[in-house]
Amino acid sequence: MSPAARAAAAAKAEAEKKAQAQAAEAAKAAKASAPKKAVRNFKDAPVPPFRSGRTSPAAQARAFLAASVGASALSAAQQQNDIALTSDEAKVVVQLEADRRALKDIKATDRKIEAKRLMLPVYKGWIDGVIAAGKAEQGPLDQVFTQLLAWTIDIGDYLAALPMLEHAMTFGLAMPAHFNRDPITFAIDQISEAAINHYELGLEADAFDAAVLPMLQDLVKDHDVDLHDEVEAKLFKALGRAILADANPDDAEDLRNRQQSALDAYMAAIAKHDRVGVKKDIEKLQRELKKSDPAPGNPEA
């Protein structure tokens, strides 16, 4: 390469180097003048309440309701935001959650029942208020009410349970998710079973308030309830047992009337479910009624 060509190449390289340096300087200046993106440090974030690890009453209420009625029963908004509760409602829900946890630690059924008996008075004012209001929100909180209805039945306070049951039926309240039954079916099944066991064990007749049984029948009739045959049969069987329990063997007319009424109840029971367990009772009552039949020529009857 001639001296002239070498000089031209060197000049060109120097020019390119200078152009690159100018471009880099321009880019640096543009970057420096651009608005800076805000950088948020964790220490700048607002401190949430209850940093000690506690959750708010509403959050506790939401957790309880999700566990009680099933997460699917709560809307996405309810699961992400606090449920609107009054202070009294929040106290009831939080108290019920605490009581449920306490019951899980008790193994014996009789001890669980006694624990519920001691717990329930705390909720009486709220329950009375719900019934007096005469309305329902058709929401998860309604199932807090039916959970307390179940406890009231569990402890055998059936007359206290009846207005709760009627409220639940009137407004179409559901039982908590784990029951898999509606309130009237649960109530009739539990109360009828308790009555049958009571009378078959030969316990004092007046220790069971038998008046609750026809009241349950009235609720079924008034609300036109379509009961499962087995459950209705059990109610008829319980009625038959209760009718005979107060019979006075020294009063022939009263005894006969009770035997006939009990027979009618047992016949209704077996018509609903032939394995309800009253066949021998029917046969026995038919024999006794036939024997006491005041037919002509039987002056002693």
Side-chain angles (χ1 to χ4, degrees):
M1 181 180 293
S2 66
R6 286 199 296 273
K12 183 179 179 180
E14 183 65 22
E16 289 177 350
K17 183 177 179 181
K18 186 176 181 180
Q20 289 174 354
Q22 289 175 342
E25 187 67 21
K28 183 177 179 181
K31 185 176 180 181
S33 62
K36 292 184 179 181
K37 185 178 180 180
V39 177
R40 187 178 184 184
N41 197 309
F42 285 114
K43 69 180 181 179
D44 298 326
V47 179
F50 303 100
R51 290 283 297 215
S52 62
R54 295 191 201 167
T55 55
S56 69
Q60 293 180 52
R62 185 173 61 250
F64 167 76
L65 293 173
S68 178
V69 306
S72 62
L74 296 175
S75 68
Q78 285 174 316
Q79 293 184 59
Q80 295 178 15
N81 302 298
D82 284 349
I83 299 170
L85 298 176
T86 67
S87 60
D88 286 343
E89 289 170 340
K91 288 176 184 177
V92 167
V93 173
V94 173
Q95 182 64 52
L96 186 56
E97 170 70 350
D99 287 345
R100 277 170 48 118
R101 287 198 302 267
L103 288 170
K104 287 181 180 180
D105 294 332
I106 302 174
K107 298 180 178 63
T109 300
D110 58 343
R111 291 189 178 189
K112 282 182 182 286
I113 291 172
E114 185 57 31
K116 290 175 183 177
R117 194 185 310 280
L118 296 174
M119 293 170 177
L120 277 168
V122 173
Y123 305 97
K124 187 178 185 306
W126 180 76
I127 292 170
D128 291 345
V130 170
I131 295 172
K135 62 181 180 179
E137 301 299 330
Q138 294 294 316
L141 193 61
D142 293 338
Q143 295 179 31
V144 173
F145 182 87
T146 52
Q147 176 70 73
L148 296 172
L149 165 63
W151 286 9
T152 305
I153 292 172
D154 288 344
I155 69 169
D157 195 355
Y158 304 132
L159 292 181
L162 279 176
M164 298 178 69
L165 178 60
E166 185 164 17
H167 176 86
M169 295 173 69
T170 299
F171 296 102
L173 308 191
M175 298 295 287
H178 59 281
F179 281 84
N180 297 317
R181 287 182 288 180
D182 56 85
I184 186 63
T185 300
F186 172 80
I188 289 178
D189 190 50
Q190 295 295 109
I191 296 173
S192 297
E193 188 71 34
I196 292 167
N197 290 339
H198 181 90
Y199 295 123
E200 290 185 349
L201 288 173
L203 304 178
E204 291 293 329
D206 58 3
F208 183 90
D209 199 333
V212 71
L213 299 172
M215 290 179 183
L216 289 172
Q217 281 191 314
D218 289 342
L219 284 177
V220 170
K221 182 179 178 180
D222 293 345
H223 292 269
D224 193 24
V225 180
D226 183 20
L227 281 177
H228 292 289
D229 289 343
E230 293 87 342
V231 175
E232 192 166 7
K234 190 181 288 188
L235 177 56
F236 279 122
K237 179 178 179 179
L239 280 163
R241 294 284 194 269
I243 289 167
L244 289 175
D246 281 332
N248 181 0
D250 297 326
D251 186 336
E253 183 178 0
D254 177 71
L255 178 60
R256 179 177 175 78
N257 288 339
R258 286 178 177 275
Q259 288 173 333
Q260 184 61 59
S261 295
L263 178 60
D264 292 343
Y266 290 151
M267 293 297 288
I270 204 169
K272 283 289 182 180
H273 184 52
D274 61 1
R275 288 183 290 178
V276 69
V278 296
K279 289 181 180 179
K280 291 184 178 179
D281 298 278
I282 289 172
E283 293 169 358
K284 180 181 178 182
L285 286 170
Q286 287 174 332
R287 287 194 303 268
E288 291 175 348
L289 285 167
K290 185 177 181 180
K291 182 178 178 181
S292 63
D293 185 10
N298 185 7
E300 296 182 0

